[in-house]
Amino acid sequence: MEIDLLIHSANQLLTLTETPQRGHTLGELGLISNGALAVNLGRIIASGKSEDFLSRYHPKTSFDAGGKVVLPGFVDPHTHLVWAGDRALEFEQRLAGKSYMEIMASGGGIISTVNKTRAASVEQLISETLPRLDQMLTHGTTTAEVKTGYGLNTETEIKLLETILQLDELHPVDLVPTFLGAHAVPPEYKGQTDRYTDLVCNEMLPAVKRWWLQRSPQRTLPFVDVFCEEGAFDLAQSRRILETAQDLGFPLKIHADEFKNLGGTALAATLNAASADHLVVTPEEEILRLGASDTVAVSLPNTPFGLASPAYTPAKQILEAGGILALATDLNPGTAWGESMQFALALACRYLRLTPAEAIAAATINAAAAIRIEQDTGSLANGKKADILVLNAPDYRHLGYRFGVNLVETVFKYGQIVSAFH
Ligand code: NIG
Ligand code: FE
């Protein structure tokens, strides 16, 4: 049979599973030794043994992955990719003893990035963001969620959505947008969080929906997310924003339990949100609620690492409760400027106590479920996108085990090489 691409002789081909891996089923890699992958028209059409496939298929292009690991591209389901400037000064202030929330309360933190982002044009934002997307791609991320949230007024939030849509067209990494108008309270509403919540509910969400249906009617509505945290939005405000969004037809996400537990994780489960993210100080009863729901638990180990905090997601408890656990970078200029999912995996193995196999499944199929695209990506099942990584390593456990270097040698996107090191 004639096909576009045959990848063969993989020492280990990891196909993963077609559907997300709940609780202790996490870590099913679908490993085929001396594996081969048949690709046509940008999609996977079959996976199997090299000895069979080399005689069965007549590819236009043949790729010898001899001695290496082949796996699906990483999905990064939580990033704040689009911003202007940096916060290197705050990094030093934190090292000198100030906390992240103290810096935010005194007008720095997220607001300092908001000021720079409001002043930037779409063109400037694109040119500052493209190098980050290049880093993500060369480190193996083939699909990423991207949040707004550095605008905090209707005009700038829509400018950020426009930037995300243009970046999606310009760059090979596929982008899935999220509206995070409730990321922080902007300076002009300081001390008036309820009034800002009114603005988000009554003006921003309807305006975003109207704009979206005009700008991109063929795409589903973006996710709506809220930073449910002391000093940001309390539980009642978070509920109001998410319920309003749900009534308008938006799918939901939440930032919950990063520093203080306010009940955001249970809220996410109740509202059938796609995911609840951070989950560092989540109590047992909310973990059980999450475990009984379809809401994906997204852990962001780069964030405590970035903040030099010893507290990480209680991943083992989440698995014990039957939860769907995913990993993401939280890429942002404040707490976690790191584009590499490989680094998140390395931290997850050490601080979440995941095995490399569990971490890989959390960063692929379960990460895809966190942004509701698991039918299209996240594993090398037949019919899914041919988004494929080749590792310069003989064994998948080198992911997690090794860190601080890039093990991804070749990246295929829709069956085409988009990044290669030799
Ligand atoms: O997920 N916690 C809130 N938002 C981001 C940080 C964003 C920033 O500091 O710019 C987070 O960690
Ligand atoms: Fe975040």
Side-chain angles (χ1 to χ4, degrees), residues 78 80 87 100 110 150 183 227 255 258 278 330 332 334-335:
H78 183 138
H80 305 254
R87 307 230 292 273
Y100 176 72
I110 292 170
Y150 295 120
H183 193 194
F227 187 19
H255 281 67
E258 180 176 0
H278 281 295
D330 197 19
N332 76 76
T335 61

Side-chain angles (χ1 to χ4, degrees), residues 78-80 83 87 90 94 100-101 104 108-114 147 149-150 180 182-184 225-229 232 255-256 258-259 277-278 300 303-304 307 329-336:
H78 183 138
T79 84
H80 305 254
W83 74 79
R87 307 230 292 273
E90 288 180 15
R94 285 205 313 275
Y100 176 72
M101 291 310 276
M104 180 160 160
I110 292 170
I111 298 308
S112 113
T113 301
V114 168
K147 300 176 197 299
Y150 295 120
L180 179 56
H183 193 194
D225 193 348
V226 52
F227 187 19
C228 181
E229 185 65 50
H255 281 67
E258 180 176 0
F259 302 109
D277 303 34
H278 281 295
L300 311 165
T303 305
L307 292 169
T329 61
D330 197 19
L331 172 61
N332 76 76
T335 61

Side-chain angles (χ1 to χ4, degrees), residues 268-402:
T270 303
L271 296 178
N272 190 30
S275 71
D277 303 34
H278 281 295
L279 309 182
V280 174
V281 294
T282 314
E284 179 72 22
E285 67 269 20
E286 289 192 61
I287 290 177
L288 294 175
R289 290 283 304 280
L290 194 65
S293 78
D294 288 332
T295 299
V296 177
V298 178
S299 177
L300 311 165
N302 293 9
T303 305
F305 177 83
L307 292 169
S309 153
Y312 286 80
T313 303
K316 289 286 169 181
Q317 278 173 263
I318 291 170
L319 296 182
E320 192 58 39
I324 306 166
L325 180 73
L327 291 170
T329 61
D330 197 19
L331 172 61
N332 76 76
T335 61
W337 189 336
E339 288 88 344
S340 173
M341 283 290 283
Q342 295 173 62
F343 189 63
L345 268 73
L347 292 176
C349 290
R350 286 161 186 79
Y351 298 109
L352 277 61
R353 301 248 152 225
L354 300 188
T355 63
E358 289 171 335
I360 290 168
T364 53
I365 185 62
N366 283 11
I371 46 177
R372 293 192 172 151
I373 52 167
E374 72 275 17
Q375 283 170 353
D376 213 32
T377 191
S379 71
L380 301 177
N382 296 349
K384 288 194 183 182
K385 292 191 227 174
D387 293 355
I388 302 158
L389 310 181
V390 182
L391 296 186
N392 183 13
D395 185 306
Y396 71 84
R397 288 169 296 193
H398 285 229
L399 280 174
Y401 163 46
R402 294 164 65 183

Side-chain angles (χ1 to χ4, degrees), residues 117-120 122 125 150-163 179 199 203-204 207-208 211:
T117 305
R118 283 179 174 178
V122 170
L125 289 167
Y150 295 120
L152 309 185
N153 58 39
T154 308
E155 185 197 337
T156 317
E157 286 292 313
I158 286 178
K159 177 177 82 181
L160 290 171
L161 286 170
E162 174 64 31
T163 307
F179 170 74
L199 182 82
E203 182 186 308
M204 289 172 120
V208 165
W211 179 82

